[in-house]
Amino acid sequence: MLTVYNCIVHEHDLRLVALAALICGISSFSAVNLLRHVDRSSERNRYTWLMISATSTGFGIWATHFIAMLAFSPGIPNAYNAELSALSLAASVALTAAGMWIATLRRGIDYALVGGAILGAGIAAMHYIGMAAFEVEGRIVWNTLLVAVSLLAGVTLAALALLVVLRRPSMQATIGAAVLLTLAICTLHFIAMGAVSIFPDSSIEISQFTVEPVSQAFAAAAVSLVILVLSAAALWIDLRFRRHKLEAERMHGLANAAVEGLIVCDGTRIVSANDSIAALTGMAPEALNAMLLGDLFGERTAASMSDCSGQALEAELRSHDGTAIPVELIARSIDYCGKRHSVVAVRDIRERKKAEQEILRLAHFDPLTGLPNRRSFSGRLEAEIAAMHRGGKGGHLALLLLDLDRFKEVNDLFGHGAGDAMLQKVALCASGVLRQGQMLARLGGDEFAIIAPNLSDPQAAGRIAEAVLASMREENRQSVGGGLVSASIGIALYPLDADEPTALVSHADTALYRAKAEGKDTYRYFEASMGAEARDRRVMEHELRQAIARNEFRLVYQPQKEISSGRMVGFEALIRWRHPQRGDVSPVTFIPVAEDSGVIIQIGEWVLATACAEAARWKGPLTVAVNVSAVQLHNPNFSRKVHEVLLASGLAPGRLELEITETALVKDMPRALATLRQVKALGVRVAMDDFGTGYSSLSNLRAFPFDKIKIDGSFIKSVDSNGQVAAIVRAVLGLGRGLGLPVLAEGVETLGELKFLDAEACEIGQGYYLGRPSPIEAFSDLTGVTAPADDDAPIKPRGGSILMLEPAAALRSA
């Protein structure tokens, strides 16, 4: 060390040494500051910043060396070889660039140390090549130990300098690294200079192509100017970077306020990510900032977002544990830190995907039973038929339609909760007997369907139906109080009955209707004759819907008389249908069709309004009787509708008599009782119709406010010759007298029946013997109504609201 000290103090101009140290410090600070920009820059700008930093550092090392050499005074002539001087500068820049490139290639201590060591090697190469360019009239002898020490010091300090600046970038780290790099350059130079001994020798001549020390001084001055310019540029860049960093921090704070994930990208490289995206991925924001878009969303998705069109794009986000998270991405272009960047909004759509899956499930499955719904059923049926048609193989496909018997009564009596539970049990019973490949679907309400493909014979469909019915019967047996109603099943086969889905469903429905008509709790196969009946029935339904508009209905009136005196007391209104092609259609034929199709509601509305309007024209206080069905009776607006009809027609309330069957009462007795009391409050009379044929109960007569009892005609027939029938009629007549209710006997067809009733003090009679149903004009002597110009023209109500009824029993043939 004394040799080095003597070299610096006694053989150097200390002023130039100080200048060399200043230039070395400036270039070192510039070098490490620019190196930070190399580490932070994008791939596109990386090499530009690398060359700027390497040039600044290499020129600083070169200038430090030659300014220090100018301060060296050997006391004998000396000069510099131009080629070797230039080579030393090139080696300094090249090795510095290589060291910086390796140090910033990856984050890690090993890369920083290796890169710094190469930078130290560049300092050493520059120095010793520069010393080789130094020519002097004498011999140069090297101290090998000091040479080794200089190399070790330069490489070690340079490696530490790069490790410090890249490990934790900060202003303190930058200053510390600049000091270490300055020490590396200066230490290597002056220890190496201390290793030199010059022995004058006049026999050694200086080459004529060398550069004078003065010229070398100008070159060093020029290089120093370059260093100062680069240092100033580095300072400006650093200030600009700090401003951009502040702007980035503010934007990052704003982005963190967003609920959605936000990523700012330079191309596909992530430069900023907010806390929401960090929480979504489970990664730290710092880790995200070192990633590419392709690392999170895949290369294809990253490429598709490059246009920043603002269009929503669905993709999958890879979280830290490899889980794929469905997200929606929207990319837009923004000005970020003075440069165009793209910002990607990342929206977590897991809940939306779950909702979509639920919507899809609801679109294809019944939410109550979990069975496929009508849409799934239709698709499966079409697919199975198409597959069997393409395959051309034998076998049959069976379609079984199930409908629960009396299900509406269960809902009415026990509530919809009990009905829902029953549907779920039916689904379990039916699905439990099906095999692999067979499908049970709920079509709606209490309708179910079974698709059974690839059956070996048609009888296999019957075995499936019997298994379903047996399972339901067993469930009934085990349930307290009976847990299930029975079911009816209709069966149609492909290709025997139909070769396309619509016809197959229609035929199965026809067979189902036949099963219901023949006793329920059974199954029926489709037969060709059923199809003809079903078609005729559908045609009649269509014609019934048009009959009111075409004025094809008319009313006839059957007299009701006092048996003792023969005095007319009123009429029962009965409907007739005169079809243009069918002629007169019996009510026995068309009323059941109207009831099943729902057309009975419109027909009943017309009957009540027409009968009330007609009765209002009569000159005498005769009554008009119209039956009321269960559906109409349980309507909460029933009494209000009756009031509207009376107001519209002008008929006195006491002249209207509503006939109610006991069947209409038992479904919901409290509601029926309340409704009948409201009707009675209007002044309308109420009669119990068809007494003795339904759910006859003495408690009904006591509980409900009836004004009259009507004995069904089946009990009046042969009452004068059949002792048992006579006993029943006497009992009913006695009951009526005991309750203070008048009794009307229907179906009086003979004089003997009339005499029996008169003898038993029956008050009112109705039947063919007392008067056949006829147009009201036939009773003009009683009503004052004369025949219109067109005998077939129906009587219409005088405007206002009319009542919607379902007179299931009243609109019948006399």
Side-chain angles (χ1 to χ4, degrees), residues 364-376:
H364 293 87
F365 291 88
D366 172 50
L368 177 63
T369 62
L371 297 176
N373 61 9
R374 184 179 292 273
R375 175 182 293 182
S376 297

Side-chain angles (χ1 to χ4, degrees), residues 766-789:
Q766 176 182 341
Y768 277 14
Y769 188 80
L770 298 175
R772 288 180 175 271
S774 304
I776 196 62
E777 293 79 15
F779 308 100
S780 59
D781 57 328
L782 297 173
T783 63
V785 177
T786 58

Side-chain angles (χ1 to χ4, degrees), residues 275-535:
D275 293 343
S276 295
I277 189 67
L280 186 61
T281 59
M283 304 179 190
E286 295 77 13
L288 290 171
N289 292 345
M291 299 176 68
L292 301 176
L293 276 179
D295 298 333
L296 291 179
F297 307 108
E299 297 297 336
R300 181 176 299 180
T301 302
S304 62
M305 288 191 293
S306 59
D307 57 355
C308 298
S309 62
Q311 297 294 324
L313 174 68
E314 290 192 6
E316 287 188 344
L317 170 67
R318 300 191 188 103
S319 64
H320 72 288
D321 58 358
T323 304
I325 301 173
V327 294
E328 184 179 69
L329 308 177
I330 299 177
R332 296 185 184 277
S333 180
I334 63 168
D335 185 1
Y336 181 77
C337 297
K339 180 183 175 183
R340 300 306 294 175
H341 285 69
S342 60
V343 60
V344 180
V346 184
R347 180 178 300 161
D348 185 358
I349 58 173
R350 282 177 291 188
E351 291 302 322
R352 192 179 80 185
K353 286 293 184 182
K354 289 180 181 178
E356 290 174 353
Q357 290 295 326
E358 181 63 15
I359 292 172
L360 184 64
R361 189 187 69 81
L362 293 176
H364 293 87
F365 291 88
D366 172 50
L368 177 63
T369 62
L371 297 176
N373 61 9
R374 184 179 292 273
R375 175 182 293 182
S376 297
F377 161 78
S378 299
R380 175 69 178 275
L381 183 61
E382 292 177 0
E384 291 289 355
I385 290 178
M388 293 187 69
H389 180 73
R390 288 194 305 268
K393 299 179 180 179
H396 305 273
L397 180 144
L399 173 61
L400 293 78
L401 293 186
L402 291 76
D403 189 89
L404 302 186
D405 304 326
R406 298 180 298 276
F407 178 72
K408 186 176 184 302
E409 296 180 15
V410 174
N411 268 340
D412 291 341
L413 292 174
F414 303 107
H416 291 286
D420 290 346
M422 184 172 296
L423 292 173
Q424 292 171 337
K425 287 185 179 180
V426 169
L428 289 174
C429 290
S431 59
V433 303
L434 299 183
R435 297 180 180 178
Q436 183 72 24
Q438 298 174 348
M439 174 185 180
L440 173 66
R442 183 188 176 199
L443 305 185
D446 60 337
E447 299 178 76
F448 295 83
I450 295 174
I451 301 174
N454 304 317
L455 299 181
S456 58
D457 58 85
Q459 288 71 31
R463 291 191 290 270
I464 295 174
E466 184 57 43
V468 171
L469 295 176
S471 177
M472 295 173 65
R473 295 185 194 115
E474 178 63 20
E475 180 66 27
N476 272 332
R477 188 183 65 81
Q478 295 179 359
S479 299
V480 178
L484 288 173
V485 293
S486 59
S488 300
I489 301 176
I491 303 173
L493 299 170
Y494 171 89
L496 295 180
D497 298 327
D499 58 1
E500 56 92 17
T502 303
L504 195 66
V505 172
S506 176
H507 292 344
D509 188 62
T510 300
L512 171 63
Y513 179 80
R514 175 61 63 86
K516 279 187 169 293
E518 294 184 359
K520 304 178 175 59
D521 192 26
T522 186
Y523 66 91
R524 289 291 182 268
Y525 283 93
F526 172 77
E527 299 173 2
S529 59
M530 295 180 185
E533 294 175 6
R535 284 192 295 273

Side-chain angles (χ1 to χ4, degrees), residues 369-693:
T369 62
L371 297 176
N373 61 9
R374 184 179 292 273
R375 175 182 293 182
S376 297
F377 161 78
S378 299
R380 175 69 178 275
L381 183 61
E382 292 177 0
E384 291 289 355
I385 290 178
M388 293 187 69
H389 180 73
R390 288 194 305 268
K393 299 179 180 179
H396 305 273
L397 180 144
L399 173 61
L400 293 78
L401 293 186
L402 291 76
D403 189 89
L404 302 186
D405 304 326
R406 298 180 298 276
F407 178 72
K408 186 176 184 302
E409 296 180 15
V410 174
N411 268 340
D412 291 341
L413 292 174
F414 303 107
H416 291 286
D420 290 346
M422 184 172 296
L423 292 173
Q424 292 171 337
K425 287 185 179 180
V426 169
L428 289 174
C429 290
S431 59
V433 303
L434 299 183
R435 297 180 180 178
Q436 183 72 24
Q438 298 174 348
M439 174 185 180
L440 173 66
R442 183 188 176 199
L443 305 185
D446 60 337
E447 299 178 76
F448 295 83
I450 295 174
I451 301 174
N454 304 317
L455 299 181
S456 58
D457 58 85
Q459 288 71 31
R463 291 191 290 270
I464 295 174
E466 184 57 43
V468 171
L469 295 176
S471 177
M472 295 173 65
R473 295 185 194 115
E474 178 63 20
E475 180 66 27
N476 272 332
R477 188 183 65 81
Q478 295 179 359
S479 299
V480 178
L484 288 173
V485 293
S486 59
S488 300
I489 301 176
I491 303 173
L493 299 170
Y494 171 89
L496 295 180
D497 298 327
D499 58 1
E500 56 92 17
T502 303
L504 195 66
V505 172
S506 176
H507 292 344
D509 188 62
T510 300
L512 171 63
Y513 179 80
R514 175 61 63 86
K516 279 187 169 293
E518 294 184 359
K520 304 178 175 59
D521 192 26
T522 186
Y523 66 91
R524 289 291 182 268
Y525 283 93
F526 172 77
E527 299 173 2
S529 59
M530 295 180 185
E533 294 175 6
R535 284 192 295 273
D536 184 65
R537 188 181 185 86
R538 285 194 292 270
V539 171
M540 182 173 287
E541 288 179 9
H542 176 73
E543 292 172 343
L544 283 171
R545 296 181 191 279
Q546 305 297 323
I548 295 177
R550 294 174 179 174
N551 294 326
E552 295 175 3
F553 289 125
R554 62 191 177 93
L555 290 183
V556 294
Y557 297 85
Q558 187 170 26
Q560 296 177 340
K561 297 181 179 180
E562 280 188 355
I563 293 178
S564 60
S565 65
R567 182 177 63 88
M568 184 80 72
V569 296
F571 296 93
E572 181 177 3
L574 304 171
I575 192 169
R576 295 293 184 266
W577 182 22
R578 181 172 295 172
H579 190 273
Q581 286 78 39
R582 300 174 187 265
D584 288 333
V585 183
S586 171
V588 176
T589 301
F590 73 81
I591 290 299
V593 176
E595 289 178 335
D596 291 340
S597 64
V599 185
I600 195 69
I601 296 177
Q602 289 77 27
I603 296 175
E605 175 184 344
W606 179 85
V607 168
L608 182 66
T610 303
C612 289
E614 176 59 60
R617 301 170 58 205
W618 302 341
K619 64 181 181 180
L622 300 175
T623 62
V624 62
V626 179
N627 259 22
V628 175
S629 70
V631 174
Q632 186 267 328
L633 182 63
H634 293 147
N635 189 330
N637 298 322
F638 176 72
S639 59
R640 180 174 61 83
K641 291 295 184 180
V642 172
H643 192 202
E644 290 176 358
V645 169
L646 293 173
L647 292 176
S649 64
L651 181 67
R655 295 179 58 197
L656 175 63
E657 186 174 274
L658 301 180
E659 298 183 354
I660 311 294
T661 63
E662 284 190 291
T663 305
L665 302 178
V666 297
K667 291 187 175 182
D668 191 344
M669 289 189 179
R671 179 180 295 181
L673 178 59
T675 302
L676 289 178
R677 285 174 175 168
Q678 292 171 359
V679 171
K680 289 277 291 181
L682 297 174
V684 177
R685 298 170 60 82
V686 180
M688 176 180 282
D689 194 18
D690 298 337
F691 185 81
T693 61

Side-chain angles (χ1 to χ4, degrees), residues 30-49:
S30 175
V32 296
N33 203 21
L34 290 171
L35 184 61
R36 291 173 56 193
H37 288 284
V38 174
D39 187 49
R40 290 191 298 258
S41 62
S42 63
E43 193 67 27
R44 186 178 61 181
N45 299 326
R46 188 179 190 82
Y47 293 104
T48 300
W49 285 111

